[in-house]
Amino acid sequence: MAAVALAGCASSGGSSSAASPNKFKADDGRTIDIGKATPAPGGTHYRNPHMEKCWVADGFTFNGYDTLYISPTLSTAKYQKDEERPHELARENLPKEFVSMLTPKGIFPGLVTKEADLKPGARTLKLENTIVEYSKGGGAARFWVGMYGGGQPVLRVQGKMTDGDKVVFTFEARRSGVSGGARIGGAYMKDEDIQIEDIRSLVLDLTDFMAAIAGKYAAKN
């Protein structure tokens, strides 16, 4: 994964932001910078260059739950008719990438993407993702100005995690051709291939964040 995708956003869960660590070491050796914490109503907001918004409720650390239910991706984005299929692929791939990246981190004993798979009585969190901005991009534009962002796919996602009726985590993140390959050789890549790289970048930030706050990564001095 490109370096631009390594940082995440996080919260101290109600502890003093001044005393909270903001750098962690991932299991694969990467340094995860979760940014500066500032108090916000009902919780903590973290400033991070890869997340437009990130808020966590007081006392919430992602721990103590049996299952995370990643619901089908919603969308309010406007897009062209020729973007219908890649847009649908983005909706389908978001939950898949969350499952793929959360599984090895061991934060949640169970991960499901269908409500029918929830076990009665299990303590469950629900993650709802909504695509609010979308463009599949275009190779011709990337040929001329891809290095500067022209022709790159665009994906902006707003997310909300709930424990019953209580909102415990919200975020907003945008990706647009973040990998080096997309910027240098994007004219020769499929729109969908760049899009999946962007999705993985976004999900990596979020799952690294969850792992850091859940105590799965060691804090660095």
Side-chain angles (χ1 to χ4, degrees):
M1 185 61 60
V4 295
L6 301 186
C9 53
S11 169
S12 60
S15 62
S16 170
S17 61
S20 300
N22 69 336
K23 290 188 178 181
F24 298 81
K25 186 176 181 179
D27 294 341
D28 59 7
R30 291 175 297 116
T31 296
I32 309 302
D33 187 350
I34 64 175
K36 182 179 179 181
T38 56
T44 305
H45 172 261
Y46 275 68
R47 298 179 61 187
N48 183 274
H50 307 297
M51 294 284 170
E52 279 73 21
K53 298 178 183 178
C54 183
W55 173 90
V56 179
D58 287 331
F60 179 70
T61 63
F62 297 95
N63 288 306
Y65 295 88
D66 302 309
T67 306
L68 175 65
Y69 167 42
I70 305 162
S71 64
T73 307
L74 304 174
S75 180
T76 60
K78 296 181 179 179
Y79 51 89
Q80 303 300 317
K81 187 173 180 59
D82 67 340
E83 296 178 311
E84 288 180 359
R85 181 53 185 159
H87 173 267
E88 185 62 22
L89 286 173
R91 291 183 64 245
E92 294 172 358
N93 283 325
L94 270 168
K96 291 178 182 178
E97 292 301 325
F98 269 105
V99 171
S100 176
M101 293 191 186
L102 280 172
T103 296
K105 292 178 170 64
I107 304 168
F108 307 102
L111 295 164
V112 301
T113 57
K114 297 178 181 178
E115 192 169 9
D117 292 337
L118 290 172
K119 296 180 180 179
R123 192 174 183 200
T124 301
L125 287 169
K126 180 180 180 181
L127 176 61
E128 299 175 83
N129 297 303
T130 303
I131 298 173
V132 296
E133 181 183 5
Y134 181 83
S135 173
K136 73 176 184 63
R142 288 194 296 273
F143 181 85
W144 298 106
V145 288
M147 282 287 293
Y148 306 98
Q152 300 292 350
V154 176
L155 182 73
R156 184 187 296 273
V157 178
Q158 291 178 350
K160 177 177 68 173
M161 188 175 286
T162 52
D163 177 355
D165 295 331
K166 181 182 179 182
V167 178
V168 292
F169 169 51
T170 62
F171 73 88
E172 182 174 328
R174 184 181 185 273
R175 295 292 185 272
S176 182
V178 296
S179 73
R183 295 298 170 121
I184 297 172
Y188 307 102
M189 293 178 66
K190 293 181 180 179
D191 301 331
E192 293 85 353
D193 291 342
I194 299 176
Q195 176 176 277
I196 193 64
E197 290 181 347
D198 284 348
I199 290 172
R200 288 170 178 162
S201 166
L202 186 152
V203 174
L204 179 64
D205 271 306
L206 287 163
T207 57
D208 277 342
F209 151 64
M210 294 177 190
I213 297 308
K216 300 298 183 179
Y217 292 164
K220 297 185 68 174
N221 294 329

